[in-house]
Amino acid sequence: MTLRHYPKGSAKRLEILDAALEVFTTEGYRATSLRGIAERAHITPAGIMHYFDSKEQLLSAVLQHRDAMDVRRADLDTPTNPVETLAQVMDANMKVPGLVTLYLTIAAAAVDPDHPAHDYLERRYRRLAGGLTAWITEMSQAGLVPKVVYPAGVATAIVAQADGIQFQWLLDPSVDMGMHVRRGGRRLLGLPFDKPIPQLPNPWTMRRALQLYPVTMVTGERVGEAPVGH
């Protein structure tokens, strides 16, 4: 079962997701309960189940909702690169351990094809790796990274590095996740770890990445469309 079978435009559903995201951010994963989310959303726990088949499906939708909000808040036209974008996500994640725990817990469970988050996370990984592969290919063609770089393999390694560093950070909060993603990404690209990644002649932006791999929001719209129900 996927997350997208719900009707578009449910303002209350979005309100529940906003409430859940806030509770996970402020109270952490272990302290968050369905009752706490319901109180924040001004609804009963049974009312939440009118919009979600299970707590697992609610938690899965929270992850997709957070991704959608991150994209809406981003400056889509600022020149950057995918390694720096991932590193900035890691910088932000260090302020929200509850959401990091939620993501890793759901991601581990979602290897089961029947899990509510399976399809979404599969698309998410394909989008991340695909965008990185396209960027690395352009960098190689422009002579900005060594020609021996295997774009798809390096892309997979960069994504794996970002996920793995989050596990280490939860065990040891002194780990600087953003720094490790920046330095590790540069070395995986065959570049000096202490030098900035050069810009492409046609700068890479979030808008370019999303044009290649659009993000389907939790409400069903594409990037650039107004959220239904808001």
Side-chain angles (χ1 to χ4, degrees):
M1 184 181 296
T2 68
L3 299 175
R4 297 185 59 201
H5 73 286
Y6 292 99
K8 299 179 183 179
S10 172
K12 192 62 184 180
R13 186 169 187 269
L14 287 173
E15 186 179 340
I16 292 168
L17 292 174
D18 285 339
L21 195 58
E22 185 176 350
V23 173
F24 276 111
T25 300
T26 58
E27 299 183 13
Y29 178 78
R30 294 180 64 85
T32 297
S33 66
L34 197 62
R35 182 173 299 279
I37 295 171
E39 289 176 357
R40 190 71 61 96
H42 308 291
I43 193 173
T44 65
I48 290 180
M49 293 299 98
H50 174 74
Y51 295 91
F52 302 91
D53 290 345
S54 65
K55 184 178 179 181
E56 288 72 23
Q57 194 160 59
L58 168 63
L59 301 184
S60 301
V62 170
L63 292 179
Q64 189 169 346
H65 187 52
R66 185 184 74 157
D67 280 353
M69 292 179 66
D70 286 346
V71 170
R72 293 192 192 108
R73 284 195 295 259
D75 184 342
L76 300 184
D77 297 307
T78 297
T80 184
N81 65 71
V83 172
E84 178 59 25
T85 299
L86 273 176
Q88 290 176 7
V89 170
M90 297 300 106
D91 292 338
N93 282 354
M94 292 178 71
K95 302 173 184 176
V96 287
L99 291 178
V100 174
T101 304
L102 171 65
Y103 167 71
L104 294 176
T105 302
I106 294 296
V111 297
D112 181 351
D114 293 327
H115 192 280
H118 178 84
D119 289 348
Y120 174 66
L121 286 174
E122 187 176 51
R123 291 194 304 272
R124 187 177 188 273
Y125 275 109
R126 192 184 312 121
R127 186 179 75 243
L128 285 172
L132 276 161
T133 299
W135 172 72
I136 295 167
T137 299
E138 287 191 36
M139 292 285 285
S140 180
Q141 291 172 346
L144 299 176
V145 297
K147 294 288 186 182
V148 295
V149 166
Y150 170 48
V154 174
T156 298
I158 290 173
V159 174
Q161 173 190 244
D163 275 355
I165 201 68
Q166 293 181 86
F167 277 106
Q168 294 186 48
W169 176 73
L170 287 177
L171 292 170
D172 179 4
S174 70
V175 171
D176 187 331
M177 295 196 290
M179 179 195 73
H180 284 292
V181 167
R182 288 180 178 94
R183 291 186 173 186
R186 291 166 188 161
R187 295 313 302 264
L188 286 167
L189 290 165
L191 300 172
F193 77 87
D194 57 347
K195 301 291 185 182
I197 294 175
Q199 285 284 355
L200 285 163
N202 181 13
W204 188 269
T205 65
M206 180 74 78
R207 190 178 301 280
R208 281 191 67 199
L210 293 173
Q211 286 170 348
L212 286 172
Y213 298 91
V215 178
T216 301
M217 303 302 191
V218 71
T219 49
E221 81 275 12
R222 295 282 182 173
V223 171
E225 297 179 0
V228 180
H230 272 189

